[in-house]
Amino acid sequence: MTAQEIVSQLTLEEKASLCSGKDFWTLKSVEPLGLSSIMVTDGPHGLRKQEGSSDQLGINRSVPATCFPAASGSVCSFSRELLYQIGQAMGEECLQEQVSVILGPGVNIKRSPLCGRNFEYFSEDPYITGELAAALIQGVQSTGVGTSLKHYAVNNQEKSRFTCNSVVDERALREIYLTGFEIAVKKAQPWTIMCSYNQVNGLYASEHKKLLTDILRDEWGFTGLVMTDWGAVNERVEGIKAGLDLEMPGSGGFNDAKIVEAVKNGSLDEGILDKTALRLVELILNAQQNRKAGYRYDKAAHHELARKAARESAVLLKNNGDLLPIKQGQGIAVIGAFAKIPRYQGAGSSKINPTQLDSAVDALKAEGVSFEYAPGYTLTPDSAPDPKLIEEACAAAKGKDHAIIFAGLPDEYESEGFDRTTLAMPESHNQLIQAVAKVNPNTSVVLHLGAPVLIPWAQEVKAVLVMYLGGQAAGSAAADLLLGKTSPSGKLAETWPLALEDTPCHRCYPGTARSAEYRESIFVGYRYYDHGNKPVAYPFGYGLSYTQFEYGAMEVSDASFKAGDTLEVSFSIKNTGKVGGAEIAQVYVSPKNTAIFRGVKELKGFERVFLQSGETKTLNITLNTHAFAYYNVPKAGWAVESGEYEILVGASSRDIRLRGTVQVIGDGCEQLLRHQRKTSPEYFDLQVKELAVGDSSFEALYGRKLPPAQRDPQGRVDLNSTLEEVRDRGEAGKKLSALVSRQMAAAFGNAETNDLRLMMERMINEMPLRSLMMMSGGTITPGILDSLVAVLNGQPCTDPALSKLLDV
C-alpha cells in the first residue's frame, strides 16, 4: 500500500498515536497495516546508540561506533567531498545498528565562542554551514538512512535553552540564523528537521507556524518530517497546527489523547492531522524499504577515514622558522597528558563510544620516533597548576631540539547543557606552556579543543597546531602532521578574538533566564570584526601550510549583473613551495557605497584544491543572485541593492589576493530602509571599541516593543516555570527540588563519565516543570503536574499521589 492508502485506513486514535514516540528512541508501529517501529538516535559526528534498553534520560552506555571529528573541526577542511564521505560512513554504521534516522547535523550559528555546544556546530558563517551540512546529509542519505537537521531555530546558547526567548530582528533571522538551514534543505532535503527548545520572538519553536510551515515548507519546499528535540513540546495541539509532526520521546499517551480530543471537539481540523500522519507514514515506509539485514561496515576503513578527516581539518596557526614538521634525528620532548589521553570529542548527547582511540604518544612510537614524555598536568576537573609536574616537563624539554606540548580544554570546560564563562584555558595548561617555552625556544603547541581560546603565550612559542576535537584518530592524525607525512591544510571557520570583550554580542550574551536579545543583528563573527578592521588573534578563513601558494589570472565573466543572472569567477593557484599541499580559496562579495548596513564582505564561494610542488590549477566559482542579496523586511523578501561590488579572492577574510569588480543592477528596495540611519545609527558605525546598541535602536530594528527580560518572581507558576524559579515557592518547592536531586543522583549512577553527570547537574535547574514527566520515567503524571502547579501557586494539596510523592 502507498502511504496515502495506509493513512486512509488509520483510525483517529492510530493517527494521533503515530505523532509521538514509543519510547526514548523508537517510533510506534501499526503492524496490521505493515508499519513497524523504527529507531532514531543521536549523532551528529558519529552514531550514539544506547546499548540494551533505553533509560528515561538517554545517557546510558552506547554501542561502539566511529567517532569522526566534531563539526567545529571537520568544517575547517572546507571540503564538501570529505563531509559527504563522513556522512556515508555514518549511514553505513546506522545500517548495521538498524538505526533509521541519525540526529544531525547541527547548523546553529556560532554567535559567541562561549556557547557550550559550539563543538557540534560548523561556523559563524551561514554559507559554509549550509554547504557542508548539505554534503553530510547527502552522504548519510545516500545509504538509505535519514538525517535530522537541527536545532531549528535560533538556538545559540545552552543557558536557559528550554525556556529562553530568542529576540532577533527579521533580517538577522533570515540572513544569519536561517540561511544554513535553507541551503541544507534546498540542496539535500533531509528526511527530518528537529525543532529547538527555545522560543523565537515569543513563540516556542515547537509551535511556530511561521518557521515550521510558512518558511520551511512553503518557501523552501521541505518535504520531510519535523520532530521535536527531546521534551521540547509545549502545547501539543498547537504544535500540530503549526507543522510539528513528531513528539520525542512520547508522553505516555497523554498528548496523543489531547490530539484525539481536539479533533473530536473541532479545535483541530482532522485534515491537518492527516497530513501529519502522512509524513510519519512516509518516513516509516522509507526507513523500512532501506533496511539491510545483516549489514556490516568496515571498522578499519572508517577509522582510516576518521584519521584522514582529522588531518584535513587541522589548522596550523603559527610556524615560525619552519619549526614544523619535526626534523629527522632531532631530540624530542613530548609533553602534556592529552598526548597520551587525547581530548577528541565533546560532552553531552553527541558523546560516542569509539571503536578505537589513537594517542599521539603511541602513534609517534609506531613511527619509530624517540622522545622523552612528561604529563605536565593532571586531567582531574579544575586542576590547579602542579609545580612538580611543570618542573618535570621543563627538565624533559631542556636541551632538546624540539619540545611539543599537547594542551587545550578538558572535557568539563565545554558541553551540552551549559556555556563557558571565559575564553581562558586552564592555568595548569597556560603555565606549563610558558614554563617550557622559557627553557626551550623551539616549542610547538598542539591544541585539542572545541572552540576558540585565549593564548597569552602565542609570542613565546614558535608553532601552534589546532586539532579541534579531532575524533578517535586525532592522536595519529596529529603525529602524521607533526612528522610532515601530510601538510596542514585546514582553515578557521570562526574568528579567534583577542578578548571576550571584543565579541559583538558580549554585552547581551547569554542574556537573562527568560530573554536573549540579539542586539548585534547581522554583525556576527567576521562580519563584525572585518567591518571596522578590528584586531583579532586569527581571522576567519586563516590557516598556514608547510608550503606556499600563489594566486593569479583572475577573470570575472561579466562586467554587470542583475537578479537571475549567474557570474563566473575564475582564477589560478600555484603551489610555489617544496612539498605538496592543499589550499582553500575563498570568494567574498563586497558591496561598495551601500545605503544600508551590511558586512564589508561575505563568503559566497570556496574551493579546496590539492597541488603538488610547482603545480598550477584553475578554479571556477559560480555566484548567483543570492550572493548579492540581502533580506529586505518591508518588502518581506530578498532584495538586491544597485551599485558596484568587489569580488574578492583570498586565503582568508583578511588575506585578499585578487580583486575584481561588477556593476549590479538592483531593485531599489534599499530605499525602504533609509530611515534606519536615524532610528538605529549604531549599526552604521562599527568603528567604536565595543558594539553597544541602545534599547530604542534595537526596538526600532526589531519592529515591535521588546518583551520583558525577566519573569516576575512573584508571578503565577505554570508548566514553563523552571525548577530554579519554584525552588523557593514554599515547602512544596523545596521538597520538589530535593526529589529531583535524588532522582538525578540515582540516574547518574549509570552515566558514562563525569562530564555527562556535570552536564545534567548544570542544566537540571533550568528545565521547565513540564520536563518532569520525561525525566521521571512515568513517576510524575500529567495529573500530578497540574496538582503540583496548583500547590506551588499557594493552593492546598488535594492530590494523594502528589502528597505521597512530596510528602506534603
Side-chain angles (χ1 to χ4, degrees):
M1 286 190 291
T2 66
Q4 190 67 62
E5 289 169 338
I6 291 174
V7 171
S8 70
Q9 296 186 40
L10 292 172
T11 66
L12 171 60
E13 288 73 17
E14 285 172 332
K15 286 184 284 190
S17 177
L18 285 175
C19 295
S20 65
K22 174 184 175 184
D23 54 28
F24 211 84
W25 299 116
T26 61
L27 276 63
K28 293 173 187 157
S29 62
V30 185
E31 298 293 347
L33 294 177
L35 298 179
S36 61
S37 179
I38 65 171
M39 174 173 277
V40 304
T41 196
D42 279 323
H45 50 268
L47 176 65
R48 194 182 81 89
K49 176 190 174 185
Q50 280 188 258
E51 287 182 337
S53 60
S54 63
D55 61 280
Q56 75 269 23
L57 297 175
I59 59 176
N60 283 347
R61 185 174 176 82
S62 57
V63 302
T66 308
C67 180
F68 293 98
S72 63
S74 62
V75 68
C76 298
S77 70
F78 280 67
S79 174
R80 299 174 180 88
E81 179 183 6
L82 177 65
L83 269 291
Y84 185 91
Q85 292 170 353
I86 292 173
Q88 276 188 313
M90 288 166 53
E92 290 170 3
E93 299 193 18
C94 288
L95 288 174
Q96 174 174 308
E97 298 297 336
Q98 298 181 11
V99 170
S100 296
V101 177
I102 189 166
L103 305 177
V107 296
N108 298 98
I109 291 296
K110 296 182 180 182
R111 181 185 175 217
S112 167
L114 293 179
C115 177
R117 212 169 179 178
N118 270 358
F119 61 85
E120 284 192 44
Y121 304 142
F122 289 107
S123 178
E124 66 192 28
D125 179 78
Y127 176 73
I128 189 172
T129 291
E131 288 289 312
L132 293 200
L136 184 75
I137 292 165
Q138 289 167 337
V140 172
Q141 295 186 174
S142 72
T143 67
V145 172
T147 56
S148 192
L149 186 65
K150 62 183 188 180
H151 304 90
Y152 187 69
V154 204
N155 171 207
N156 310 97
Q157 63 191 59
E158 292 300 287
K159 172 69 176 172
S160 303
R161 63 175 172 154
F162 299 103
T163 54
C164 190
N165 181 22
S166 296
V167 182
V168 58
D169 71 275
E170 184 74 10
R171 185 173 165 206
L173 176 69
R174 295 295 193 128
E175 291 187 21
I176 304 297
Y177 298 102
L178 295 188
T179 291
F181 288 97
E182 180 180 4
I183 293 170
V185 165
K186 289 181 174 179
K187 294 190 74 170
Q189 279 293 338
W191 286 14
T192 76
I193 282 181
M194 182 191 293
C195 76
S196 54
Y197 292 109
N198 55 287
Q199 299 177 62
V200 180
N201 293 334
L203 285 176
Y204 279 99
S206 63
E207 53 199 56
H208 206 302
K209 181 177 179 294
K210 177 179 175 180
L211 289 176
L212 302 186
T213 297
D214 300 347
I215 293 175
L216 181 60
R217 297 189 188 282
D218 297 344
E219 288 188 28
W220 299 348
F222 177 63
T223 59
L225 172 150
V226 177
M227 68 167 67
T228 65
D229 203 340
W230 267 228
V233 161
N234 179 45
E235 293 289 348
R236 187 65 186 104
V237 174
E238 292 306 308
I240 291 281
K241 294 177 183 177
L244 174 66
D245 302 306
L246 176 64
E247 173 189 14
M248 290 298 292
S251 59
F254 175 68
N255 280 332
D256 300 347
K258 278 188 172 183
I259 295 170
V260 171
E261 176 59 27
V263 171
K264 288 182 176 179
N265 67 26
S267 60
L268 174 64
D269 184 341
E270 190 168 1
I272 295 176
L273 179 59
D274 287 343
K275 290 180 181 178
T276 299
L278 179 63
R279 290 191 283 263
L280 285 154
V281 171
E282 287 173 340
L283 175 69
I284 294 170
L285 291 178
N286 200 6
Q288 289 178 172
Q289 292 164 4
N290 283 284
R291 284 176 174 158
K292 294 184 179 179
Y295 184 89
R296 290 293 179 267
Y297 70 89
D298 187 333
K299 290 185 180 180
H302 285 196
H303 183 74
E304 283 305 307
L305 176 60
R307 186 170 179 170
K308 171 190 173 185
R311 285 196 304 263
E312 293 188 3
S313 303
V315 182
L316 184 63
L317 295 183
K318 184 176 183 179
N319 195 23
N320 285 7
D322 293 330
L323 181 61
L324 291 176
I326 296 169
K327 311 303 184 290
Q328 191 170 5
Q330 284 185 328
I332 305 294
V334 175
I335 297 166
F338 281 172
K340 273 194 172 181
I341 306 174
R343 170 94 196 289
Y344 63 99
Q345 64 175 327
S349 61
S350 68
K351 190 150 194 177
I352 293 160
N353 179 17
T355 56
Q356 71 179 79
L357 183 59
D358 297 350
S359 77
V361 163
D362 290 341
L364 289 169
K365 286 179 180 177
E367 293 293 335
V369 178
S370 297
F371 56 88
E372 185 175 352
Y373 170 76
Y377 52 85
T378 66
L379 293 179
T380 55
D382 298 321
S383 60
D386 186 323
K388 184 179 179 180
L389 292 178
I390 292 176
E391 184 179 340
E392 290 174 356
C394 289
K398 192 172 183 179
K400 298 293 195 301
D401 297 309
H402 194 161
I404 305 169
I405 302 174
F406 288 75
L409 291 177
D411 279 337
E412 293 78 13
Y413 273 62
E414 45 188 351
S415 169
E416 178 182 355
F418 60 89
D419 298 314
R420 288 192 290 164
T421 57
T422 174
L423 294 180
M425 286 170 51
E427 270 305 293
S428 56
H429 293 229
N430 284 331
Q431 290 188 24
L432 170 69
I433 294 168
Q434 290 168 327
V436 169
K438 283 182 180 179
V439 302
N440 191 322
N442 293 323
T443 296
S444 299
V445 176
V446 179
L447 292 175
H448 292 278
L449 36 69
V453 292
L454 305 181
I455 46 177
W457 36 261
Q459 300 308 311
E460 301 169 45
V461 302
K462 284 191 176 178
V464 181
L465 178 66
V466 179
M467 297 301 298
Y468 273 96
L469 299 180
Q472 66 182 52
S476 53
D480 291 341
L481 294 162
L482 292 171
L483 294 171
K485 295 176 72 173
T486 304
S487 177
S489 57
K491 299 288 184 89
L492 295 177
E494 59 189 327
T495 306
W496 282 41
L498 286 168
L500 178 59
E501 293 75 17
D502 293 340
T503 58
C505 62
H506 168 64
R507 282 176 170 260
C508 50
Y509 187 92
T512 67
R514 287 289 165 171
S515 179
E517 294 180 350
Y518 287 54
R519 294 197 176 209
E520 71 281 2
S521 186
I522 65 168
F523 291 112
V524 177
Y526 72 89
R527 283 169 168 78
Y528 170 72
Y529 299 112
D530 289 1
H531 196 285
N533 199 30
K534 299 179 185 302
V536 298
Y538 301 100
F540 178 89
Y542 173 85
L544 302 176
S545 171
Y546 293 157
T547 189
Q548 299 81 42
F549 300 96
E550 182 181 277
Y551 288 63
M554 179 180 180
E555 292 185 6
V556 178
S557 63
D558 207 321
S560 64
F561 179 93
K562 64 180 184 303
D565 291 349
T566 57
L567 194 70
E568 302 297 327
V569 181
S570 65
F571 52 94
S572 65
I573 300 181
K574 180 179 181 179
N575 182 344
T576 59
K578 297 179 180 179
V579 297
E583 171 66 330
I584 296 164
Q586 302 148 50
V587 175
Y588 298 86
V589 172
S590 175
K592 314 305 291 184
N593 302 317
T594 175
I596 61 176
F597 64 82
R598 303 181 74 167
V600 294
K601 65 175 81 72
E602 294 181 351
L603 182 72
K604 298 300 180 182
F606 60 87
E607 198 69 48
R608 179 187 178 95
V609 59
F610 182 86
L611 298 166
Q612 297 290 354
S613 176
E615 185 180 8
T616 301
K617 287 184 179 178
T618 298
L619 302 184
N620 295 281
I621 304 288
T622 300
L623 301 178
N624 58 20
T625 301
H626 206 78
F628 299 91
Y630 69 96
Y631 193 82
N632 189 293
V633 177
K635 179 187 175 184
W638 293 91
V640 176
E641 185 180 15
S642 296
E644 184 179 78
Y645 288 68
E646 276 194 307
I647 310 301
L648 310 174
V649 177
S652 81
S653 72
R654 296 203 175 178
D655 183 8
I656 302 303
R657 306 290 183 89
L658 304 169
R659 296 174 182 268
T661 60
V662 62
Q663 194 69 33
V664 172
I665 303 167
D667 49 33
C669 289
E670 63 270 15
Q671 298 303 316
L672 300 174
L673 303 172
R674 293 177 64 182
H675 64 282
Q676 289 184 341
R677 283 190 179 273
K678 290 184 177 180
T679 59
S680 303
E682 294 95 329
Y683 299 104
F684 292 85
D685 181 16
L686 299 187
Q687 303 296 326
V688 294
K689 182 179 179 182
E690 189 175 5
L691 180 60
V693 178
D695 290 354
S696 61
S697 290
F698 183 55
E699 193 167 275
L701 186 67
Y702 183 55
R704 71 198 91 162
K705 187 175 177 59
L706 296 178
Q710 302 283 358
R711 186 184 181 100
D712 181 0
Q714 303 305 316
R716 290 189 61 80
V717 172
D718 58 32
L719 291 176
N720 284 315
S721 299
T722 66
L723 292 169
E724 186 173 43
E725 290 168 344
V726 305
R727 181 189 298 158
D728 298 324
R729 285 292 188 114
E731 196 65 21
K734 293 176 183 177
K735 291 192 173 184
L736 175 64
S737 180
L739 171 67
V740 171
S741 295
R742 289 196 301 271
Q743 290 193 339
M744 290 300 100
F748 290 154
N750 297 321
E752 292 181 61
T753 56
N754 181 66
D755 52 89
L756 283 175
R757 189 176 297 112
L758 179 63
M759 174 192 78
M760 292 302 298
E761 289 173 352
R762 293 280 190 94
M763 71 183 191
I764 190 69
N765 287 325
E766 296 178 350
M767 287 183 169
L769 294 179
R770 56 182 161 82
S771 297
L772 291 174
M773 282 198 300
M774 180 183 76
M775 292 163 48
S776 69
T779 302
I780 297 178
T781 65
I784 291 176
L785 264 185
D786 289 340
S787 298
L788 174 63
V789 169
V791 170
L792 291 169
N793 280 315
Q795 298 178 29
C797 182
T798 59
D799 186 336
L802 178 63
S803 296
K804 182 179 179 181
L805 193 66
L806 297 184
D807 188 27
V808 296

